[in-house]
Amino acid sequence: MNDIKKLIEKCLIENPCEADIRYNEPMSEHTTFKTGGAADCWLRPDGEGFTSFCAALLNRARSSGIPVFVLGGGANVVVSDKGIRGIVLDMGRWTGESVWALCAGEDEFIIKSGTTIDEAVDYAAAEGLSGLEFLAGMPGTVGGAVWMNARCYGGEMSDVLNWVEVIINDNTQLNGAQRKDESDSLDSFDFSIKRIYVNDKSGFGYKKSPFQDMDCVILSASFNLKKGDKEKILVEMDKYREDRYNKGHYSFPCAGSVFKNNHVFGKPSGQIIDELGLKGSKRGAAQVAPFHGNIIINLGGAKAGDIKGLADEIAAKVKKETGFVMEPEILFIGEWD
């Protein structure tokens, strides 16, 4: 803990930045599942100097062997009951948007990664820009949605993504492979800001983006959106929000879908779980939602171990009965047995 405190102090001295810093911070306060142990350090930088501070933090942390986990809205993660070691870098203050006119009826919509997805969709609608409606009502932040290549209602982030600005380890190749020259020392790291254009969609897939293989922090993203009728855009957004509400996404603390869908299975994961009679199953205060087989909910006081244990039980049952291997969509982070 002292090493972390000293590291942050040095970064703030060399790269002044406003920051909310908390030690032994319960991650239940920062995730939609409302559970999980404490982070050694939870850090939310803000204001002028944000990017230079983050770059310095990453560089010092990597060189010191202190792990850094980048947190968006906490909407797709479960933190272990034992907590998470190192620094949790919360991007929640890195927000805002801008619009640049292009041509052929399109606009470049640029938004910072800490902006919530719902805010981003509302910003675009206010400008009469169409293309992000399918994300309406989705929890989390823009950075997390880009990193995951969020997908719903037949659309995904990469469909409209133009470029992504990142703070990236200069030894990270853009194809995800790690490269370090033999002349470099093992503890030599340099992070700089780069703009990565998404001309080639080959690095994207179902809930997959090339940023998952990069040592980077997403700062902002640019989307090519089309001019549209504002009223029609709002009607479309309301339709998706209502559908999420009716499916119970907001009824209990949860993280949305637990498992990815796999079209090889021939049916959605939730349907498979339902057909095996697992809907409503419980482990502690964690329950497979009675209203959706692919959602686990926190009934109140659920431990992270309850949630992961229930997810493991579901996967084992599906494997035994069908032979299918379910791939979790939720990220289980921190110290697990």
Side-chain angles (χ1 to χ4, degrees):
M1 190 72 75
N2 286 334
D3 290 341
I4 293 175
K5 290 180 179 179
K6 290 178 181 178
L7 183 151
I8 293 173
E9 287 172 1
K10 287 181 180 179
C11 289
L12 287 172
I13 290 171
E14 297 172 1
N15 304 271
C17 177
E18 295 180 22
D20 186 358
I21 307 168
R22 306 178 197 174
Y23 297 97
N24 292 316
E25 173 71 1
M27 290 305 293
S28 57
E29 299 295 318
H30 304 286
T31 61
T32 58
F33 246 125
K34 302 300 181 187
T35 190
D40 288 341
C41 175
W42 173 88
L43 169 65
R44 179 183 279 172
D46 190 8
E48 190 174 350
F50 181 97
T51 55
S52 59
F53 170 80
C54 288
L57 177 77
L58 290 169
N59 199 55
R60 286 189 176 276
R62 293 290 189 270
S63 298
S64 302
I66 295 174
V68 177
F69 179 80
V70 182
L71 182 72
N76 206 41
V77 299
V78 177
V79 181
S80 163
D81 296 311
K82 293 183 178 181
I84 181 170
R85 307 286 69 84
I87 299 169
V88 173
L89 176 59
D90 190 310
M91 301 292 287
R93 294 291 186 188
W94 188 242
T95 62
E97 86 294 338
S98 59
V99 177
W100 297 89
L102 296 176
C103 58
E106 293 188 351
D107 281 68
E108 184 180 36
F109 180 65
I110 304 167
I111 192 150
K112 292 180 178 177
S113 61
T115 308
T116 67
I117 296 172
D118 233 17
E119 285 177 325
V121 174
D122 284 339
Y123 289 149
E127 297 287 342
L129 296 175
S130 177
L132 296 181
E133 294 91 326
F134 69 98
L135 295 168
M138 178 180 284
T141 60
V142 170
V146 170
W147 189 88
M148 179 60 76
N149 191 25
R151 176 184 175 86
C152 53
Y153 302 116
E156 62 184 28
M157 295 296 275
S158 61
D159 292 339
V160 289
L161 195 59
N162 180 28
W163 52 257
V164 178
E165 194 167 67
V166 296
I167 302 175
I168 189 167
N169 181 344
D170 291 338
N171 294 307
T172 299
Q173 292 182 344
L174 297 189
N175 63 3
Q178 298 295 314
R179 173 185 58 80
K180 183 169 282 293
D181 296 335
E182 292 182 3
S183 59
D184 289 349
S185 63
L186 292 177
D187 61 352
S188 175
F189 295 89
D190 289 295
F191 285 81
S192 59
I193 297 175
K194 285 187 172 62
R195 183 173 290 183
I196 300 174
Y197 283 83
V198 188
N199 299 319
D200 181 3
K201 307 291 185 179
S202 62
F204 291 86
Y206 175 66
K207 304 294 175 71
K208 173 71 176 175
S209 83
F211 305 102
Q212 295 172 16
D213 298 320
M214 298 181 190
D215 187 7
C216 72
V217 174
I218 294 173
L219 288 176
S220 60
S222 162
F223 301 91
N224 284 343
L225 305 181
K226 296 183 180 297
K227 290 287 189 182
D229 183 290
K230 188 180 296 187
E231 292 304 315
K232 290 182 179 179
I233 292 171
L234 292 173
V235 168
E236 191 80 358
M237 288 162 52
D238 287 342
K239 179 182 71 174
Y240 294 133
R241 284 173 174 152
E242 183 178 4
D243 184 63
R244 292 180 188 278
Y245 178 83
N246 291 336
K247 288 179 178 177
H249 284 215
Y250 313 126
S251 301
F252 296 88
C254 69
S257 297
V258 177
F259 299 100
K260 296 179 181 180
N261 289 320
N262 187 333
H263 294 295
V264 174
F265 298 168
K267 60 187 73 172
S269 296
Q271 184 179 342
I272 296 172
I273 294 167
D274 187 14
E275 290 174 355
L276 291 177
L278 297 174
K279 205 156 64 172
S281 302
K282 292 182 182 179
R283 181 175 175 127
Q287 182 184 39
V288 180
F291 48 82
H292 197 300
N294 198 22
I295 294 177
I296 292 178
I297 58 176
N298 181 352
L299 296 173
K303 299 293 186 182
D306 296 334
I307 296 165
K308 188 173 189 305
L310 188 54
D312 290 343
E313 288 176 10
I314 293 169
K317 179 74 170 179
V318 171
K319 178 67 162 49
K320 179 181 179 181
E321 298 297 328
T322 69
F324 299 147
V325 177
M326 307 284 272
E327 182 182 357
E329 180 174 326
I330 293 174
L331 302 178
F332 293 96
I333 63 173
E335 290 191 321
W336 297 88
D337 291 333

